Amino acid sequence: MEVISRMRNAKGRKVSDKWSSDKDIDRISKLPDSILQHILRFLSTEEAVRTSILSKRWEPLWMSITSTIFSMPCEMIFKRDLFMNFVERVLLLRNSSDLKYFALLCDVLNDASRINTWILYALKHNVRKLFLALCGLQEPYLFPPCLFSCDSLEHLSVEMSLLTRKMGRVLKLPYSIRLSSLKSLYLKHVTFENDCSMQRLFSSCPVLENLTLALCKWENVEAVCISAPRLRKLSICERENYRDNCQKLIFGMSLESFIYIGGFLSDYCFYDSTSLVKAYFDVGCAKRITEGVKRHRGDAYRANKFLRGLSDTKNLSLTPYTLKVLSYAEEFIAYLPVFPNLIHLELHVEPMDFACGALLSILQNSPCLKSLNFTEGICLSTHCDETDWRLAPVPPCFSTQLKTIKICNFCGTEGELHVVKNLLKDATILEKMVISCSLVKFSGGSRRQRESGDQTQSLCSPTMEVVPRRRAIRETNEITDVSPLARNAKNQKLNDEQNTDRISNLPNAILLRILTSLLTKDAVKTSILSKRWQYLWMSITDLMFEEEGPNKSENRVLFMNFVERVLVLRDSSDLTLFGLLCDVLHDASRINAWISAAVRHKVQKLFLILCNFEEPFVLPHCLFTCESLTHLVLELCVLLKVPSSIQFLNLKVLNFKFVLFPDDHSMQRLFSSFPVLEKLTFDSCSFWNVRSVCISSPLLRTLTILEGLEDPDQDNCQFLILGMSLKYFTYVGEFKNEYFLYNTSSLIKAVIDLCGKESIESGKRQREVSYRVYKLLRGLSIVKELLICAHIIEVLTYSEELLAHLPVFCNLTCLIFEGWPIDFAYGTLGNVIQKLPCVNSLKFEAGICLSTYSEESEWRLDPVPPCFLTHLKTINIRKFSGTKGELHVVKFMLENALILERMDISCSLEKFSGGPGRQMEVRDQLLMLPRRSKKCAIDFS
């Protein structure tokens, strides 16, 4: 026994020691990152940041959160600076991982640029869900243009405060919109700018599935077409006291759910909504609108038209107000549509009056109805004789399909009992009637309720069940009190942890990662945080110095000293990026010293944006022999003087902007020193000192030339481009220079945009430009995809002797016209298309026209281009306005395109003078045109 007792005591001490030692172990530190980050997902951003004080393990975790929500509550209106600084600090300290969700709810006031910076941050981190609720817009507000071309964005919500001034709520859209991944779009309190911008928005969301328009204003929009091919859910909520008279055309090829809440403020036209499953139709606010305003018949007409567009739905939810509006014009009730697929009908918001004739008409027109639901109860108005009322004639569904009736908020009045009696009498195959009584409205209490239930049960057939239900009036809330002792212990533990400098134990890699996400000036400021941070900024690999602010001259000394101090105190580690944006003035030597320091630290990406030169400026010679440099951007409006020795062994990307090149010899030395160059860009550069230059980098893949339109000087420089590996070529300008391309067999896509038409005509350079266009086209004859503007076709007419010598584009499969509508009256166009034997796709992005069209003269392309007979399969025409000239051109194409498979025509709503009626007329004319190809399909939208 004594041995057993000692064994038990030893075991107890062992368990006790183990338990006490386990309490000292920080188990949370051993949890994997995925679990800890999953915990952070359930917290607000502010609370997630606060977790950094819990333990060393938690300290850097919040920097990897993928969902950030910044909301400024009303009580923080006087602490706005704290909120703004908190947002910026979180975004700066956060790592570079992608964002799944970014929400911003705050006043904009005079901080539009800061708000846009945060939005840009989210876009650059490939945000998927973006929620913006902005108010206090005291000036016209423009979202960043890249918001409307974000490829990662899947959900976008934009809400502008109703209290904001009108000009602040106007949604101004950029010209280029491309939301290729957007699936859900929510707009609230937004004022749309015009028809064109709205149409660009809705036509630039190819995979949009969910669209919500809540309390928006359409006063500037006459008509809009919503035709997203994958749109499944459309929700529209209109303002109660505003009428816009905007016509909305909805093409619901894939529409499954439609929700409307409003008062018929706009005219809606539905097309091809056969896939509709559920429709919710609430015109409750119409009751307030129609009181005192004599537009009852118009409302009835619109309601009838609305229901006709929803006639294919399977589930329909209506309000009694909707049926009341239909009753304002009884002649329309007879023309209510038949709902052949409707199986469930729901009446909500208020009790349904069975004296309403529109209800009977809808039941008559729903032959397949199986379920009828009155969520707010039923009634029988006093002006109707309760003893004589009945459903006459009895709807067909009552005897063939109706199996379930549900009535909520039942009060047990004589009128209700009479209606129930007739429903039970007429529904011959009814299986179940569910009646939920309202305890609040039952005047006789539970006894009266039992009497009504007995009366209802006595009316039922033996095979049918009536289920009474009660609605709960009160809900119980469970309150858990936390022990004060436990709360004090927890606070004491947090205070102890706050006094510990855990950040000192983080590895250098994590701390440097944090510093990399900060601006250089902010990274330097971290040296005062703790001893651990004091020297860390000296090892950062990205340095960006920008002289900014309205008082640059006053702060220039501080800026110059700051840059020098950073470069002097920094350690000897290599640089990944060095950027310098500042004025040069009289400090050329100091700026060259900074550039030389970056080169000594083996910089890989160098960005130099320099301006305001008050003395001759020469870049340091060591820059032109930097072996580590892979990206170089030079933006400086000064003569570029290059040394005799140039060697960029690893340079892959080179961008010149506003640069003045000196002479032929130095230019040739420069461009023969890039053995691995892959991308070259000239933006608004000047070549007036250069007669000719040869670009022959063996690995060059992308070449972009953007001529400055504001420079009156004539360059007249000859560019000889040897494109052994060239795949993409872009030119935009007035052809101030000549361009010759040789050996471009790998060319995939070329873009030619002729700008400054007025300048060319005023300078009488038409023939000169036409010859230069011709020479450039000869060098692009191997390209597979070509995009040109309409002015290219027009300028070739000034040198008709060249048309017979145009090159044959033997590999070209896609030709795109942009800029202006293509005039088929130009004979040049026929000569160009004759040289495209293998084209299978023609795209007219700016539309077509025929300036010489008349009913007496018969225009045609003679002879018919060979590609029309052998290869052409697709024709796309945008901004179609339905003129006779356009129809004539389309007719010719259809009659001569032998193997055409598809013609897509997108109409321009603002150009259609006759509105949607004229549009439908043109559509019918197009569909009736003869087609030589039996497989050709016309898509008109």
Side-chain angles (χ1 to χ4, degrees), residues 686-740:
S686 179
F687 303 92
W688 57 273
N689 289 330
V690 183
R691 293 185 179 181
S692 64
V693 62
C694 179
I695 301 175
S696 59
S697 300
L699 300 181
L700 186 63
R701 297 170 181 260
T702 304
L703 176 60
T704 304
I705 301 176
L706 311 174
E707 289 184 354
L709 302 180
E710 299 179 356
D711 188 2
D713 296 330
Q714 294 292 320
D715 291 335
N716 288 316
C717 174
Q718 288 187 342
F719 278 80
L720 308 178
I721 303 167
L722 303 180
M724 293 82 73
S725 303
L726 193 64
K727 293 185 177 182
Y728 305 99
F729 175 79
T730 301
Y731 172 81
V732 179
E734 301 178 8
F735 281 92
K736 297 178 181 179
N737 306 300
E738 288 187 273
Y739 301 92
F740 301 87

Side-chain angles (χ1 to χ4, degrees), residues 35 77 140 183 209 238 243 306 309 315 345 445 617 720 722 748 787 807 842 906 911 931 936:
I35 295 179
I77 191 66
K183 296 182 179 181
E209 297 179 359
E238 292 182 342
R243 191 177 183 90
F306 218 125
N315 299 272
L345 176 62
F617 180 78
L720 308 178
L722 303 180
I748 296 176
L787 188 152
L842 283 176
S906 298
K911 292 184 180 180
R931 312 171 200 177
C936 180

Side-chain angles (χ1 to χ4, degrees), residues 67 125 147 187 213 217 236 247 296 306 360 375 433 482 512 614 707 723 788 828 882 894 937:
S67 298
H125 287 77
L147 170 62
L187 301 175
L213 305 171
K217 295 184 70 173
I236 299 177
Q247 189 172 32
H296 306 75
F306 218 125
L360 178 59
T375 60
M433 175 180 282
V482 180
L512 288 174
E614 295 185 0
E707 289 184 354
I788 60 177
T828 315
L894 292 173

Side-chain angles (χ1 to χ4, degrees), residues 448-695:
R448 172 58 182 158
Q449 180 183 351
R450 287 193 299 271
E451 292 178 359
S452 298
D454 295 340
Q455 295 179 28
T456 306
Q457 190 70 44
S458 64
L459 299 173
C460 299
S461 62
T463 61
M464 189 171 56
E465 177 187 7
V466 176
V467 184
R469 295 182 181 174
R470 298 184 180 182
R471 181 172 296 177
I473 299 177
R474 298 179 180 178
E475 296 180 356
T476 58
N477 294 325
E478 203 172 298
I479 302 176
T480 303
D481 191 12
V482 180
S483 170
L485 184 61
R487 191 186 303 115
N488 293 335
K490 182 177 180 181
N491 292 337
Q492 182 64 36
K493 183 178 179 181
L494 290 177
N495 291 332
D496 293 341
E497 291 180 353
Q498 287 177 353
N499 296 328
T500 304
D501 186 11
R502 291 186 172 78
I503 203 166
S504 301
N505 297 326
L506 291 175
N508 283 353
I510 295 178
L511 298 180
L512 288 174
R513 181 70 176 270
I514 296 172
L515 290 178
T516 304
S517 63
L518 301 178
L519 297 174
T520 302
K521 60 181 180 181
D522 293 331
V524 174
K525 290 178 182 178
T526 60
S527 60
I528 65 173
L529 295 180
S530 67
K531 294 179 181 180
R532 182 72 175 85
W533 289 78
Q534 190 169 5
Y535 304 107
L536 273 175
W537 68 269
M538 299 180 184
S539 300
I540 55 177
T541 58
D542 292 358
L543 295 177
M544 180 66 71
F545 302 104
E546 180 177 1
E547 186 181 15
E548 57 184 357
N551 302 320
K552 289 198 297 184
S553 58
E554 298 177 5
N555 299 325
R556 180 168 177 82
V557 175
L558 295 176
F559 171 77
M560 302 292 286
N561 293 338
F562 171 74
V563 177
E564 280 194 349
R565 191 170 182 82
V566 169
L567 294 178
V568 169
L569 294 177
R570 188 183 176 277
D571 62 17
S572 60
S573 59
D574 292 343
L575 281 172
T576 302
L577 181 146
F578 182 85
L580 182 61
L581 298 83
C582 69
D583 296 333
V584 176
L585 302 180
H586 297 287
D587 296 310
S589 59
R590 298 178 70 181
I591 289 176
N592 274 345
W594 303 344
I595 299 173
S596 300
V599 173
R600 285 198 304 270
H601 287 84
K602 298 181 181 180
V603 64
Q604 297 178 19
K605 298 179 181 180
L606 181 62
F607 297 85
L608 298 177
I609 304 177
L610 308 176
C611 52
N612 292 333
F613 299 88
E614 295 185 0
E615 61 183 11
F617 180 78
V618 180
L619 290 170
H621 290 184
C622 61
L623 171 62
F624 297 91
T625 57
C626 181
E627 297 182 358
S628 62
L629 206 59
T630 60
H631 290 68
L632 176 60
V633 176
L634 291 178
E635 182 178 331
L636 54 162
C637 188
V638 68
L639 192 66
L640 181 64
K641 296 182 180 181
V642 297
S644 57
S645 176
I646 306 174
Q647 193 174 24
F648 290 101
L649 296 179
N650 296 304
L651 192 65
K652 295 183 178 181
V653 179
L654 179 59
N655 191 329
F656 292 110
K657 188 171 184 179
F658 302 133
V659 174
L660 284 70
F661 292 99
D663 53 62
D664 298 46
H665 185 59
S666 60
M667 279 284 290
Q668 201 54 53
R669 286 203 316 273
L670 180 63
F671 290 110
S672 60
S673 305
F674 308 122
V676 296
L677 188 66
E678 298 179 358
K679 184 176 181 180
L680 176 61
T681 301
F682 297 100
D683 188 353
S684 304
C685 295
S686 179
F687 303 92
W688 57 273
N689 289 330
V690 183
R691 293 185 179 181
S692 64
V693 62
C694 179
I695 301 175

Side-chain angles (χ1 to χ4, degrees), residues 335-355:
Y335 297 99
L336 283 174
V338 175
F339 298 88
N341 302 324
L342 187 63
I343 59 175
H344 179 78
L345 176 62
E346 181 176 302
L347 284 303
H348 54 91
V349 175
E350 71 168 12
M352 182 64 230
D353 189 355
F354 270 75

Side-chain angles (χ1 to χ4, degrees), residues 138-169:
Q138 297 182 352
E139 56 187 12
Y141 179 73
L142 294 176
F143 286 102
C146 58
L147 170 62
F148 301 96
S149 57
C150 180
D151 292 331
S152 64
L153 204 58
E154 297 178 0
H155 300 264
L156 174 61
S157 174
V158 177
E159 180 178 341
M160 296 183 175
S161 173
L162 186 62
L163 302 178
T164 302
R165 289 189 295 178
K166 174 184 173 181
M167 66 175 183
R169 293 202 312 271

